[in-house]
Amino acid sequence: DTAVSQTPKYLVTQMGNDKSIKCEQNLGHDTMYWYKQDSKKFLKIMFSYNNKELIINETVPNRFSPKSPDKAHLNLHINSLELGDSAVYFCASSQAGATNEKLFFGSGTQLSVL
Amino acid sequence: DAKTTQPNSMESNEEEPVHLPCNHSTISGTDYIHWYRQLPSQGPEYVIHGLTSNVNNRMASLAIAEDRKSSTLILHRATLRDAAVYYCILRDVPGTYKYIFGTGTRLKVLA
């Protein structure tokens, strides 16, 4: 029973298209994140949501729009895809405020923009 | 953002202990030290964390310097499955929602 699951695992698309990545967590956590890992393997935080409220937006272009319909879901919609958007996108969750707070990651979505 | 410095890569022989260092000279009194690792083609996974005292769990041990400006992740007996990128992260007080990953240390385990 996967704790943090994201779909699809692979996404190949053309420049200019719009695509979405879905993420769900069954851990009962109240905070969810999107991270981007580029070709050099740098892992950068993009967004953080706490109780469906946007907490962190790390200067991500407006083409990226996260949506959290409930605490268990955080989807990422990307408009007008560009070559530079090619990367692996990871969803994660945590229970904020706990002294043993730790991140749980999904297995990633590899996005290739052609 | 609190920053950490780690060696780019390290090698270890199988069945031997591995000490992965991390420098965090600008650490504040409320920063927790977290370690995560990323196996090939997987998302990062939590390994261990601590504040001031040394910590042990089933995966590893965390040794924290007395001045807290450095820490060491210890894998007591490296196996081939431990080959991964290990990230040392400073996290401010619980609930600040921000985990900043550095470049990490790529650990290679030799059979």
Side-chain angles (χ1 to χ4, degrees):
Chain A
D1 194 18
T2 306
V4 181
S5 59
Q6 27 180 139
T7 55
K9 188 168 178 63
Y10 301 97
L11 187 52
V12 181
T13 188
Q14 300 286 334
M15 266 197 324
N17 285 349
D18 303 338
K19 290 294 178 185
S20 292
I21 306 172
K22 295 185 176 181
C23 179
E24 176 182 4
Q25 54 95 4
N26 62 7
L27 298 166
H29 290 165
D30 59 4
T31 305
M32 296 185 72
Y33 311 76
W34 277 110
Y35 279 82
K36 177 181 179 181
Q37 188 166 42
D38 59 26
S39 57
K40 294 183 179 178
K41 304 299 183 183
F42 294 129
L43 198 61
K44 296 180 183 176
I45 189 167
M46 300 173 67
F47 300 103
S48 172
Y49 268 73
N50 176 257
N51 283 317
K52 302 192 297 175
E53 182 183 347
L54 179 65
I55 300 297
I56 294 174
N57 180 340
E58 287 291 299
T59 61
V60 178
N62 291 338
R63 299 183 296 103
F64 290 79
S65 53
K67 286 202 170 39
S68 182
D70 55 57
K71 286 197 312 183
H73 296 85
L74 180 62
N75 304 321
L76 183 65
H77 188 75
I78 315 170
N79 289 326
S80 303
L81 277 156
E82 301 177 357
L83 293 176
D85 298 331
S86 295
V88 182
Y89 292 84
F90 289 100
C91 177
S93 73
S94 73
Q95 183 57 40
T99 54
N100 63 346
E101 180 182 356
K102 52 195 175 192
L103 285 171
F104 291 80
F105 281 85
S107 56
T109 295
Q110 185 163 339
L111 172 64
S112 299
V113 182
L114 307 177
Chain B
D1 296 334
K3 295 195 174 188
T4 62
T5 305
Q6 300 176 251
N8 286 335
S9 62
M10 290 184 66
E11 279 188 4
S12 171
N13 292 320
E14 202 176 7
E15 304 290 316
E16 290 187 356
V18 182
H19 290 230
L20 297 166
C22 180
N23 288 322
H24 27 78
S25 57
T26 60
I27 191 170
S28 73
T30 54
D31 282 334
Y32 283 74
I33 301 160
H34 277 234
W35 284 81
Y36 285 76
R37 73 179 185 179
Q38 187 173 18
L39 301 170
S41 302
Q42 294 188 28
E45 64 174 344
Y46 168 84
V47 178
I48 200 166
H49 79 282
L51 184 60
T52 56
S53 304
N54 294 345
V55 184
N56 299 300
N57 66 21
R58 63 173 180 82
M59 289 181 72
S61 294
L62 176 60
I64 301 172
E66 199 169 329
D67 62 6
R68 301 206 329 123
K69 293 186 177 182
S70 65
S71 61
T72 303
L73 179 71
I74 302 165
L75 306 179
H76 296 286
R77 289 179 66 208
T79 70
L80 296 177
R81 289 175 297 178
D82 291 322
V85 178
Y86 287 79
Y87 296 98
C88 168
I89 301 160
L90 298 185
R91 181 180 63 77
D92 205 345
V93 294
T96 54
Y97 318 112
K98 205 166 184 177
Y99 292 75
I100 305 297
F101 284 74
T103 54
T105 296
R106 181 173 297 279
L107 175 66
K108 186 175 180 180
V109 180
L110 306 174

